Amino acid sequence: MSMVSDLAAIVGEDWVITAREQTARYLADETADAVRPRPAENVVLIKPSSAEEVAEVLKLANREKTPVFVRGGGTGICGGAVPIADGILLSTERLDGILEIDKDNLMVVAGAGVPFGNMLKAVEEAGLFFPPHPGDEGAHVGGLVACNAGGTRAVKYGVIRNFVRGLEVVTPTGDIINLGGKLLKNNQGFDLMHLLINSGGALGVITKVIFRLCPKFNSSGTLIISYDERHKAINTVPKILQSGVVPLAIEYVERDVIEISAKRLNMEWPAKKGNTFLIVILTGDSEDEVYAQGEKVSTICEGNNAVDILIAERREEQANILKIRSEVYSSLKSNIADVLDITVPPASIGEMMDKVDEIAAKFNIKIPTYGHAADGNLHPHLLADLVEKGLLREVKRQIYAEAIKMGGVITGEHGLGVIRLPDLDLYPDKKMWELMRGIKAVFDPNNILSPGIGVL
Amino acid sequence: MSMVSDLAAIVGEDWVITAREQTARYLADETADAVRPRPAENVVLIKPSSAEEVAEVLKLANREKTPVFVRGGGTGICGGAVPIADGILLSTERLDGILEIDKDNLMVVAGAGVPFGNMLKAVEEAGLFFPPHPGDEGAHVGGLVACNAGGTRAVKYGVIRNFVRGLEVVTPTGDIINLGGKLLKNNQGFDLMHLLINSGGALGVITKVIFRLCPKFNSSGTLIISYDERHKAINTVPKILQSGVVPLAIEYVERDVIEISAKRLNMEWPAKKGNTFLIVILTGDSEDEVYAQGEKVSTICEGNNAVDILIAERREEQANILKIRSEVYSSLKSNIADVLDITVPPASIGEMMDKVDEIAAKFNIKIPTYGHAADGNLHPHLLADLVEKGLLREVKRQIYAEAIKMGGVITGEHGLGVIRLPDLDLYPDKKMWELMRGIKAVFDPNNILSPGIGVL
């Protein structure tokens, strides 16, 4: 294959890999097996070391009309990192330098291939704080931007988008562009930076990221608030948000799901009463501030049918609660066929959960559901038995249709990737997809970058 | 003109206005006279009452290949609302309904033509709070989104973009699309909503806006911190931001400028010592919290060369300080040829001000400069005498070139509009303008919507 030698001339021989045993682990991501797309047969893996090399590769790919797929940490769960056609798989892992932590501007500049955990560590060592935490610390920072990752801490700080200040991007035609910068305000024409955020790798290869940082919070506390009934828990959430307290996170879980995670970790879920729980994380500049917030939240919950309130102040206690919560997906994963990511207006979340239950009852199945309660972002888990029963697609589409009916979307934080494209017909509006296709064609006239991913 | 009757058939006879004496006040915006574009001669003003009527008008305009310009409150200062070619001027003023204040979801739904002040009042009456405050309350909410307005309060809450959750937009081809919704997370493909924010009216007519709201803050305080030298003031800003205190606003002003505004208002600038000032506004959930923040900020400033610190706690005192600050532009306006809006990395703001001074000294002119210190957003005022001296363009371009050299942009919050397009050649990167033009062509194949505005 002549392309292999052309690629070697750009990135160096050592960084062009064709042997299937060496590329194998690059051909999947964390998407559940039942819905993950199958990788193509003939995939050349390359590992460029700079934006310039990425640009040369993309120019070559345009000349040869060869697809290029981009891979970061491979932690996505919508099939967006799987090379679904023969061509080049471009891993950004060598763009792994934390280039600067700029304390005066409160910014970090990092290569796209920096693992999220490494960046967090470096930021913490500099005495600063990066608020969003979308979960898997093996994610790469370029991928966090490409999929606009969310996570539990969006209540106080919003999603990754809010923290992106600048991007270096190689366009599909091989031009290197710099969008934004160390800037807090920027009205420099149509916002290409915001268009690249959540473009799923389809509009350009992100090679460098500038994130805004915050000072460390000095104090935190975690509350588990127990209820005997779902709606009592869910109905408390807007009351907390209206009170003036802005928690870092408000999570909703039910006992059956959280106990599975605790058991797997050989840990104990500390709340003994109630069946459904809100986990509320509070942060502040001082212990007094967090204490005052905790008092306020407790009073609201007591007045709204909570059956128990557990307050964790010690760092270790708080970490344990989070550990159990954050491992729910891993605990269920072996039994999962698909994880949904519906998002509805936050006040409709109880109604949405009821709809999921109704659908489960109709098909006589179980659908464990938990999520980011204050964000209206729910993750119903479709279990493996749906595949055997031939119900996976139908159940999913019924849940999607209900979410859309409530003014929601089928993905709040995971992205369209590959696996959600076939269900976009559920939306009444067709024009927006047409505009997205038009934008894709402007950036990528030969459709060589991530074809079939992120856009209909 | 046959178009007049076609337009009357769509919006009704009463809402099609051709007499120049009735259209006159619609032909300018708040841009300084010296740089404001001249309106075209043959302009038909129309006032549609719904998105559907807007859609019909745009379809007609496509058939007739007639330009359509969009006007909100006309408070912009980059010439973006001036009809610069013969055609239709579409005022959104009749889309003036506050459609819903949704307390459970903490959202407001408003027609694009709602004056900002009206929305603020309705939100306040509902016991809630809309954080951004870009200045002129006569602005319309559609315009705030179209230009991604900024203002003083961006330090704590960010710019308008952060609060937009949903938009109803009529595309240039006359399709009505709904982007986002009452949603806090939304990864539904390329983010057309964020692309429309700051599109300057060139990618669609915004007809409805959904904004996120916050609970009211219970307490606030305003500090004026006096310094005898600019850099001592500016160098304190990152120290405040690193401390964990997040002020609502940090403004920088110098005595000569602020005294002009105070004098015009028949008020007194309360700070007697020092020549340069930081105005720091603190908000919090309780008086205790604000007091603790104020103590922390004071301690930092005392340790960093402040010569005096004045703390205003009473509502009226605080309002007076803000009034004097917010009227600086109006006070200088009669003597202003152009207001710049450069934005640099926040830590470079002192250096940028020095460059402005150097340029002023070189040309032997005065350039009053003040701005949003924590955002790196500066407004050098080019005065009327530069026009007589024939220096306006040259001085502007030299300031722009310095900002770009520091990694900055020529507009942080005012937008490109019409007046900044001729200076985009100062950027080394050309590809991004090409992509913007491509996007414009996708949305507006006949280039009928706001031609010549917002994009090169």
Side-chain angles (χ1 to χ4, degrees), chain A residues 203-456:
Chain A
L203 296 181
V205 181
I206 295 167
T207 48
K208 194 158 70 183
V209 177
I210 304 176
F211 282 128
R212 175 75 165 166
L213 301 173
C214 290
K216 264 186 196 168
F217 56 82
N218 293 316
S219 184
S220 70
T222 300
L223 282 71
I224 302 180
I225 304 143
S226 306
Y227 294 84
D228 56 18
E229 202 266 319
R230 170 191 293 166
H231 285 273
K232 292 178 183 166
I234 294 293
N235 290 339
T236 315
V237 175
K239 299 197 170 77
I240 296 171
L241 294 175
Q242 286 160 12
S243 74
V245 175
V246 187
L248 185 66
I250 305 183
E251 293 291 295
Y252 174 84
V253 285
E254 300 187 350
R255 183 176 291 281
D256 50 352
V257 165
I258 201 84
E259 295 276 14
I260 293 171
S261 177
K263 196 173 166 191
R264 175 168 164 275
L265 294 164
N266 272 320
M267 293 168 77
E268 203 175 331
W269 181 243
K272 297 305 160 202
K273 292 188 195 163
N275 293 311
T276 72
F277 309 98
L278 295 180
I279 306 171
V280 177
I281 307 178
L282 302 169
T283 57
D285 197 33
S286 67
E287 280 184 27
D288 285 354
E289 198 185 318
V290 172
Y291 183 82
Q293 290 179 31
E295 284 287 291
K296 213 165 176 176
V297 172
S298 296
T299 306
I300 292 166
C301 295
E302 280 162 9
N304 283 277
N305 304 301
V307 297
D308 197 21
I309 299 174
L310 191 150
I311 303 179
E313 282 164 1
R314 282 190 304 118
R315 209 187 159 97
E316 197 198 329
E317 275 178 293
Q318 294 191 57
N320 286 346
I321 294 168
L322 280 190
K323 178 82 180 160
I324 300 173
R325 161 62 188 86
S326 64
E327 297 274 333
V328 168
Y329 175 62
S330 312
S331 308
L332 299 172
K333 198 183 166 196
S334 62
N335 190 28
I336 288 173
D338 200 357
V339 180
L340 308 191
D341 179 38
I342 48 174
T343 302
V344 293
S348 305
I349 200 166
E351 193 188 339
M352 186 67 227
M353 293 181 84
D354 289 349
K355 290 288 179 194
V356 172
D357 283 354
E358 279 171 30
I359 292 166
K362 187 163 66 179
F363 290 101
N364 193 27
I365 54 175
K366 260 187 89 74
I367 307 180
T369 298
Y370 59 94
H372 312 302
D375 303 328
N377 184 201
L378 278 180
H379 299 311
H381 284 26
L382 304 188
L383 302 180
D385 62 330
L386 296 199
V387 181
E388 295 146 34
K389 293 176 182 163
L391 290 174
L392 188 61
R393 185 93 199 279
E394 181 57 22
V395 169
K396 173 157 65 177
R397 284 174 69 86
Q398 291 200 11
I399 293 174
Y400 282 175
E402 292 295 342
I404 291 169
K405 224 187 282 173
M406 287 181 204
V409 288
I410 68 173
T411 177
E413 58 179 16
H414 295 168
L416 293 177
V418 171
I419 67 172
R420 290 194 177 85
L421 296 177
D423 296 312
L424 296 182
D425 63 305
L426 290 168
Y427 286 92
D429 189 347
K430 309 298 167 207
K431 180 70 182 179
M432 56 182 178
W433 314 120
E434 183 191 318
L435 292 170
M436 289 184 208
R437 279 193 299 274
I439 291 169
K440 168 70 174 170
V442 167
F443 279 73
D444 188 6
N446 294 317
N447 195 29
I448 57 111
L449 189 63
S450 307
I453 297 179
V455 64
L456 257 192

Side-chain angles (χ1 to χ4, degrees), chain B residues 411-427:
Chain B
T411 177
E413 57 178 18
H414 295 169
L416 293 176
V418 171
I419 68 173
R420 292 194 175 84
L421 296 177
D423 296 312
L424 296 182
D425 62 305
L426 291 167
Y427 287 91

Side-chain angles (χ1 to χ4, degrees), chain A residues 103 105 147-148 151 161 182 185 187-189 191 198 215 241-242 285 296 345-347 372 375 409 411 413 427, chain B residues 103 105 147-148 151 182 185 187-189 191 198 215 241-242 285 296 345-347 372 375 409 411 413 427:
Chain A
K103 289 189 186 191
N105 283 308
C147 78
N148 186 31
R161 180 182 298 281
K182 290 180 180 172
K185 287 177 173 170
N187 275 353
Q188 193 65 57
D191 207 311
N198 195 40
L241 294 175
Q242 286 160 12
D285 197 33
K296 213 165 176 176
H372 312 302
D375 303 328
V409 288
T411 177
E413 58 179 16
Y427 286 92
Chain B
K103 290 190 184 189
N105 283 307
C147 77
N148 187 28
K182 291 180 180 173
K185 288 177 172 170
N187 274 353
Q188 193 67 56
D191 207 313
N198 194 41
L241 294 175
Q242 286 159 13
D285 195 34
K296 212 164 177 177
H372 312 302
D375 303 327
V409 288
T411 177
E413 57 178 18
Y427 287 91

Side-chain angles (χ1 to χ4, degrees), chain A residues 2-13 16 53 56 60:
Chain A
S2 77
M3 182 164 278
V4 171
S5 58
D6 291 341
L7 288 168
I10 298 169
V11 301
E13 250 176 55
V16 181
E53 288 182 8
E56 289 309 311
L60 172 65

Side-chain angles (χ1 to χ4, degrees), chain B residues 283-320:
Chain B
T283 56
D285 195 34
S286 66
E287 279 183 28
D288 286 354
E289 197 185 318
V290 172
Y291 183 81
Q293 291 179 32
E295 284 286 290
K296 212 164 177 177
V297 172
S298 297
T299 306
I300 292 166
C301 295
E302 278 160 11
N304 283 277
N305 305 300
V307 297
D308 197 20
I309 299 174
L310 191 150
I311 303 180
E313 282 164 1
R314 282 191 304 118
R315 210 188 160 97
E316 196 199 329
E317 277 178 291
Q318 295 191 58
N320 287 345

Side-chain angles (χ1 to χ4, degrees), chain B residues 388-432:
Chain B
E388 295 147 34
K389 293 176 183 163
L391 290 174
L392 188 61
R393 184 96 198 280
E394 181 57 21
V395 170
K396 173 157 68 176
R397 283 174 71 85
Q398 291 199 11
I399 293 173
Y400 282 175
E402 293 295 344
I404 292 168
K405 224 188 282 173
M406 288 180 203
V409 288
I410 67 173
T411 177
E413 57 178 18
H414 295 169
L416 293 176
V418 171
I419 68 173
R420 292 194 175 84
L421 296 177
D423 296 312
L424 296 182
D425 62 305
L426 291 167
Y427 287 91
D429 188 348
K430 309 298 169 208
K431 180 70 182 179
M432 55 183 177

